[in-house]
Amino acid sequence: MKRQRKKAVLYILVAGFLIAFIGALLFLWIYFSSMREMHQTTRNLYEQPFAVSNAALELKADLYQIRSSLLYATLIQADASAMGETITFIETRERLAEEKMAIMQHSYSGDPQQVVNLQQKWQTLNQVRDLILQKLEDARFKEANRLIETDWTTRFSEVARLNESIYAYANQRANQYVEESQQRLQRHTKAGLIYAALLLTLFLGVSVFVVWRIYQLHIEADKFAFTDFLTGIANRRHFMHELESEIRRSQRYEAPFSFAMVDIDHFKKINDKHGHHAGDLVLQNFCLRCVNALRTNDMVGRLGGEEFGILMPMTDLHEAARVIERLRSEIDHSVLIENGEKIHYTASFGLVSTSQLSDQQGLAHMMRMADSALYSAKQQGRNRVFIANH
C-alpha cells in the first residue's frame, strides 16, 4: 500500500511538472509572440515619425544655439578671433540643421508643403544671418543687435513655428502607432493570462518576473539616489560622502585638496521676477558651466536649493582660487534668454583647503570654514571668491 501511495505521489508530481512545463511554454510563446508583433509594428510604423520628431527637436536646439551665438557675439562685441570661432560654430550648426530638414523631407508623412515652407523660411533666415555676421565683422554692433531684435527674430519665430508644427504632427503619429502596438500587446497578453490562469505555475512565473523587475528598479533607484534630479549632478548625500572620503585621503597621504561652497546670488529675486521655470534653467545652466569649466577630476554637487559644492582633489589653495575665479568670471559674463527676456546671474564662492586644517579637524570644520567664507563673500558685495581664514 505504501508503495502504491508513493507511486501515486510520484505520478502526481510528474503530471504536475509536465502541466507546469507545458503551461510555461504556452505562456512564453504567447508572450514572446506578442512582443515580436509589437516590435515589428513599432519598427515598421514608428521609425519614420520618430525620426522626424527627433529631427525637429534637434533642429530646434540648433536654432537656439545659433541664436545664442549671435547674441553672445553682439553682447561681448566680439573681435576677429572670436568672430571666426562664432562663424565656424554657426556654420556647423547650420549643416546639422540642413541634415535634419533632409530627414524631415524624406520621412515626413504629413503635408509636404510644410517642409518646403520650412526650408524656404530657413533660407530667408540665413540671409538675415549673413547680414548680421557682416555687421559684426565690421564692428557695427548696434546695427547687428537691431537686426537680431527685428528681422532675425521675426524670421526665427516663423522657422520655429513651422518646425514646432512638424514636430507636433510627427509626435502625434508616433503616439498613435505606439497605442496600436500597445492594444495588440494587451489582447495577446489577455489571451496568455487566460491560458496561464489554468496553471498553478503561472504564479511562479509571475513571481520570478516581479522579483526580477523589482531588482532592476532597485538598481535604477540606487543610481538615482546619487544624482540630483533637476541638474543631473551629484546630490547632497553622494557629494558629502565623496567629500568626507577625499578629506581622509588627503590627510592620510598629505595630498593637497580644496573645497568651495557656492551660492547663486539673489536667486529668490530671479524666481520672483522670471518664474520658477526660469530659476530651474538658471540652476541647470550653472551646473552645465561648472561641468564645462572645471577639470575632469573635479566634482560638483548640489547641497540644497541654490547652494552647491565643488570638490577639487590634488589641488592646492592657489590653484583652486585660480580655477574658481575663472568659473566665477564665466558665470558673470553669461546671459540666459527665457521667453525673450535676458537673465543675468552671478554666484558667490567660499573657498577652503585642507592645508588650513589640522589632523584633528574633519568634514564638519571644513564645512563651517567654507560656509563662513561664503558668508563673507556675500557680505562684501557678492559675485566674488573669498578664501577662508584659518
Side-chain angles (χ1 to χ4, degrees), residues 59-76:
L59 176 59
K60 181 179 180 181
D62 291 335
L63 283 170
Y64 278 97
Q65 287 179 346
I66 292 172
R67 178 183 178 184
S68 298
S69 296
L70 290 173
L71 287 170
Y72 183 72
T74 305
L75 179 66
I76 67 172

Side-chain angles (χ1 to χ4, degrees), residues 78-87:
D79 55 16
S81 174
M83 278 304 304
E85 295 177 358
T86 299
I87 291 172

Side-chain angles (χ1 to χ4, degrees), residues 317-330:
L317 193 59
H318 177 73
E319 176 66 14
R322 187 186 65 81
V323 172
I324 295 300
E325 176 57 30
R326 183 182 63 200
L327 173 61
R328 184 208 64 78
S329 178
E330 182 175 334

